[in-house]
């Protein structure tokens, strides 16, 4: 009889496990599935998670409190605002000019950085290549995806490409750990006392306090929170590597981006050699900075002047090509816009854009047809930004229209001409920002003529440029300057 009661109690405790639903966008919890999240308003974002029974929850709470006690350290006390130091945060030099620029001058001690990107884009290569050049600091590289042998082979290839020697001093600063348990990671951190910790990737790490599989919403949230407490209490910076889902956003709950101090996205097309490092969030610097790399067989190479690489080919006598002075972040560079306009082979004309917003393209084609009078309703229009870059600058509008018209009439644009201007729905050329930087970049690369919005001439004053400026108010005036 006693054995039966014990068995019934055991079965009853096992049956108390519950199912809950958590919004992967904002972390809102619900007892049942909901189509639309009441907190953030997103649809179909609730995912099912399993909640342990009461005894399991008590054990998890005690374990979580133990982790907090071991990682929190001394308690903070209220301070007067005038007593707080206003000095800039000290920075750790990453020995990478592009990465330092995006981070705001270097890595801040005690910060937690999230580096995201598509699979195979080069996140691990960028991180490993950077830490190999920091021989003066002890770094712990935790890999949950690759074996130590794979990392060793990649490191040797990167060291050979950069003409560095695999000396003992360089090998001693980097410690490789292949582990997915958060508790074991903290034990090794306590043992080796690193100056920088790298987690590759956060989706593979799990903690015993949460009864769910690695990569789930709860696991990612709890592991990131524990690493944040460790970074703030020990002043050891932590770099997390994350994945991108099919929608193009960082995998895991949206709260992961709120937890970290800096979110950096590594972008680019795998079929092209250029990669862009863009800061989406930065508590210690600007989010307008941009880093550009060139992917080679033996690693990533920093690109200090992308304009010269994007404009290496001679397009004399070719139609459908226009040069635009664009700005991504705070860096100006000249971009080559390619357009192809042909008669629609089938009933419905095609509209395709690579590296440019297709909805913006449709709007510009409507302006070109309504305000300028060019009939493109029965034409296929294809737009491509050379080099595999994706540009979001609105000043690209004028070059898009010029390239489309050049391809439509099969008339090339003369060499030495570039342009920058936003086009409105009424056909006017609207003013753009940072006009002096755009003009200086075009002048540096040897361009002789540049079309700019007329309103921007007021801000230039009486400054003298070696490039001839053509201010325009409407699209018709710009096209008249190019084609007569």
């Amino acid at each position: 009889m006693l054995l039966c009661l014990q068995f019934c109690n055991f079965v009853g405790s096992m049956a108390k496990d519950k199912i809950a639903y958590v919004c992967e966008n904002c972390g809102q919890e619900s007892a049942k599935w909901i189509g639309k999240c009441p907190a953030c308003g997103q649809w179909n974002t609730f995912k099912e998670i399993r909640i342990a029974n009461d005894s399991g929850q008590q054990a998890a709470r005690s374990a979580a409190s133990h982790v907090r006690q071991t990682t929190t350290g001394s308690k903070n006390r209220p301070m007067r605002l005038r007593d707080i130091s206003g000095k800039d945060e000290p920075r750790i030099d990453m020995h990478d000019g592009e990465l330092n620029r995006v981070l705001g001058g270097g890595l801040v001690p005690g910060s937690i950085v999230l580096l995201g990107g598509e699979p195979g884009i080069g996140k691990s290569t960028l991180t490993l290549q950077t830490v190999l050049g920091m021989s003066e600091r002890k770094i712990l590289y935790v890999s949950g995806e690759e074996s130590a042998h794979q990392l060793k082979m990649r490191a040797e290839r990167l060291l050979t490409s950069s003409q560095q020697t695999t000396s003992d001093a360089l090998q001693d600063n980097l410690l490789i750990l292949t582990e997915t348990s958060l508790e074991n990671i903290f034990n090794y951190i306590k043992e080796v006392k690193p100056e920088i910790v790298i987690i590759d990737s956060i989706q593979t790490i799990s903690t015993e306090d949460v009864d769910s599989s690695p990569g789930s919403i709860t696991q990612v949230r709890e592991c990131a929170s524990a690493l944040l407490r460790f970074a703030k209490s020990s002043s050891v910076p932590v770099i997390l590597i994350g994945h991108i889902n099919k929608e193009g956003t960082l995998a895991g709950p949206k709260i992961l981006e709120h937890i970290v101090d800096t979110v950096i996205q590594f972008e680019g097309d795998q079929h092209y050699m250029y990669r862009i490092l863009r800061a989406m969030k930065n508590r210690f610097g600007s989010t307008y900075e941009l880093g550009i790399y060139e992917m080679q067989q033996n690693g990533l190479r920093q690109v200090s002047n992308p304009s010269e690489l994007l404009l290496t080919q001679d397009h004399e006598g070719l139609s459908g090509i226009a040069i635009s002075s664009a700005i991504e972040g705070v860096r100006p560079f000249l971009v080559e816009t390619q357009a192809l306009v042909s008669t629609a082979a089938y009933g419905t004309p095609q509209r395709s854009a690579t590296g440019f917003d297709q909805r913006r393209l449709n709007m510009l084609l409507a302006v070109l047809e309504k305000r300028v009078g060019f009939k493109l309703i029965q034409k296929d229009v294809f737009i491509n930004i050379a080099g595999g870059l994706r540009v979001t600058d609105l000043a690209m509008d004028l070059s898009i229209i010029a390239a489309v018209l050049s391809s439509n009439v099969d008339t090339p644009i003369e060499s030495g001409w570039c342009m920058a201007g936003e086009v409105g729905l009424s056909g006017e050329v609207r003013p753009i920002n940072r006009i002096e930087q755009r003009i200086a970049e075009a002048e540096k690369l040897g361009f002789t003529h540049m079309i700019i919005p007329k309103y921007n001439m007021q801000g230039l004053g009486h400054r003298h440029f070696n490039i001839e400026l053509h201010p325009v108010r409407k699209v018709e005036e710009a096209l008249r300057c190019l084609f007569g």
Side-chain angles (χ1 to χ4, degrees):
M1 186 65 180
L2 182 59
L3 291 176
C4 293
L5 290 175
Q6 291 177 349
F7 178 77
C8 292
N9 291 334
F10 175 77
V11 173
S13 62
M14 293 294 293
K16 289 181 181 179
D17 291 354
K18 298 179 180 180
I19 298 298
Y21 297 87
V22 177
C23 175
E24 62 179 359
N25 185 51
C26 64
Q28 176 75 17
E29 298 183 1
S30 174
K32 60 180 181 179
W33 186 86
I34 305 176
K36 181 180 180 181
C37 178
C40 63
Q42 297 293 322
W43 288 88
N44 298 325
T45 56
F46 276 91
K47 303 298 181 182
E48 179 181 309
I49 62 171
R50 178 173 170 269
I51 300 177
N53 53 36
D54 296 340
S55 59
Q57 290 180 359
Q58 292 177 359
R61 292 192 191 99
S62 61
S65 62
H66 176 70
V67 173
R68 294 188 185 96
Q69 291 175 1
T70 56
T71 59
T72 300
S74 61
K75 296 182 179 180
N76 295 325
R77 299 182 61 84
M79 297 177 62
R80 293 185 179 89
L81 182 61
R82 65 170 180 264
D83 297 334
I84 301 176
S85 175
K87 297 181 180 179
D88 293 337
E89 294 285 345
R91 303 278 179 165
I92 298 175
D93 185 12
M94 304 298 290
H95 301 283
D96 188 321
E98 300 294 309
L99 183 57
N100 282 336
R101 180 189 296 111
V102 175
L103 289 173
L107 188 63
V108 176
S111 64
I112 180 166
V113 179
L114 176 61
L115 173 62
E118 296 180 355
I121 203 68
K123 303 183 298 297
S124 301
T125 301
L126 173 64
T127 308
L128 187 59
Q129 177 178 304
T130 302
V131 299
L132 284 174
M134 304 175 63
S135 57
E136 74 279 3
R137 296 186 180 275
K138 181 182 289 188
I139 301 170
L140 178 62
Y141 192 106
V142 182
S143 176
E145 297 180 343
E146 296 180 295
S147 64
H149 179 66
Q150 291 173 316
L151 291 173
K152 172 67 174 180
M153 291 191 300
R154 178 182 296 177
E156 289 180 346
R157 185 178 74 248
L158 295 174
L159 289 170
T160 304
S161 64
S162 58
Q163 298 180 353
Q164 296 180 7
T165 58
T166 56
S167 61
D168 294 337
L170 186 60
Q171 295 293 322
D172 289 342
N173 80 301
L174 182 59
L175 304 175
I176 302 297
L177 173 63
T178 56
E179 183 62 64
T180 59
S181 172
L182 184 64
E183 287 75 16
N184 293 337
I185 292 174
F186 278 132
N187 291 334
Y188 286 114
I189 289 176
K190 185 178 179 181
E191 177 183 344
V192 301
K193 295 180 174 57
E195 298 178 67
I196 299 176
V197 177
I198 298 173
I199 306 295
D200 184 11
S201 65
I202 186 61
Q203 281 81 15
T204 61
I205 306 302
S206 62
T207 175
E208 299 175 355
D209 300 336
V210 178
D211 190 11
S212 60
S213 59
S216 63
I217 297 174
T218 311
Q219 284 284 6
V220 172
R221 180 177 57 188
E222 293 300 323
C223 292
S225 300
L227 290 169
L228 174 66
R229 291 191 294 268
F230 161 75
K232 298 304 179 184
S233 62
S234 61
S235 296
V236 175
V238 178
I239 299 177
L240 307 178
I241 298 179
H243 296 302
I244 296 292
N245 55 26
K246 61 182 180 180
E247 286 82 13
T249 58
L250 285 165
K254 195 70 175 180
I255 195 173
L256 178 61
E257 301 180 35
H258 302 315
I259 290 174
V260 300
D261 298 316
T262 305
V263 179
I264 300 177
Q265 196 156 334
F266 206 35
E267 305 172 351
D269 193 336
Q270 296 184 7
H271 302 288
Y272 292 91
M273 55 184 174
Y274 297 111
R275 301 288 187 268
I276 294 179
L277 194 65
R278 193 190 308 268
M280 312 301 293
K281 169 190 174 182
N282 194 351
R283 289 174 178 163
F284 307 107
S286 173
T287 57
Y288 294 101
E289 295 291 351
L290 198 73
I292 301 180
Y293 294 87
E294 181 183 5
M295 175 62 77
Q296 299 178 344
Q297 294 182 353
N298 47 16
L300 291 163
R301 186 182 71 85
Q302 302 178 42
V303 178
S304 58
N305 189 3
S307 299
E308 296 180 356
L309 293 177
L310 296 173
L311 303 176
T312 53
Q313 297 184 1
D314 184 14
H315 300 289
E316 183 72 26
L318 299 179
S319 62
I321 296 177
I323 307 300
S324 176
S325 181
I327 284 185
E328 282 294 309
V330 295
R331 299 181 64 181
F333 55 91
L334 299 188
V335 182
E336 177 185 313
T337 305
Q338 301 174 348
L340 175 63
V341 179
S342 62
T343 304
Y346 304 99
T348 304
Q350 301 181 55
R351 303 285 190 263
S352 176
T354 303
F356 190 76
D357 188 6
Q358 186 166 347
R359 292 176 296 181
R360 187 81 182 174
L361 171 63
N362 295 332
M363 186 206 77
L364 295 176
L365 295 178
V367 171
L368 192 60
E369 183 169 347
K370 177 73 174 180
R371 304 299 180 186
V372 188
F374 287 91
K375 303 299 180 182
L376 300 173
I377 191 172
Q378 295 299 328
K379 300 290 185 69
D380 292 337
V381 179
F382 303 94
I383 295 293
N384 178 49
I385 305 299
L389 298 178
R390 178 165 186 85
V391 185
T392 59
D393 190 5
L394 296 180
M396 293 282 297
D397 293 350
L398 206 55
S399 65
I400 294 290
I401 287 182
V404 168
L405 184 58
S406 173
S407 178
N408 185 42
V409 300
D410 199 15
T411 301
I413 298 175
E414 294 183 6
S415 61
W417 282 77
C418 66
M419 61 207 72
E422 178 187 353
V423 176
L425 292 178
S426 60
E428 80 278 12
V429 180
R430 299 175 58 83
I432 54 179
N433 60 349
R434 305 178 187 271
I435 186 64
E436 295 184 6
Q437 296 182 23
R438 300 174 192 267
I439 297 174
E441 183 71 14
E443 183 180 354
K444 183 178 67 175
L445 293 176
F447 284 82
T448 56
H449 299 271
M450 183 172 181
I451 300 176
I452 63 173
K454 190 173 184 179
Y455 183 82
N456 284 121
M457 291 296 294
Q458 302 176 5
L460 295 177
H462 300 285
R463 288 198 56 185
H464 176 70
F465 295 96
N466 295 327
I467 184 174
E468 185 177 353
L469 302 178
H470 300 268
V472 296
R473 289 180 57 250
K474 296 183 179 180
V475 176
E476 297 95 322
E477 299 178 18
L479 299 179
R480 197 175 300 116
C481 292
L482 292 172
F483 305 102

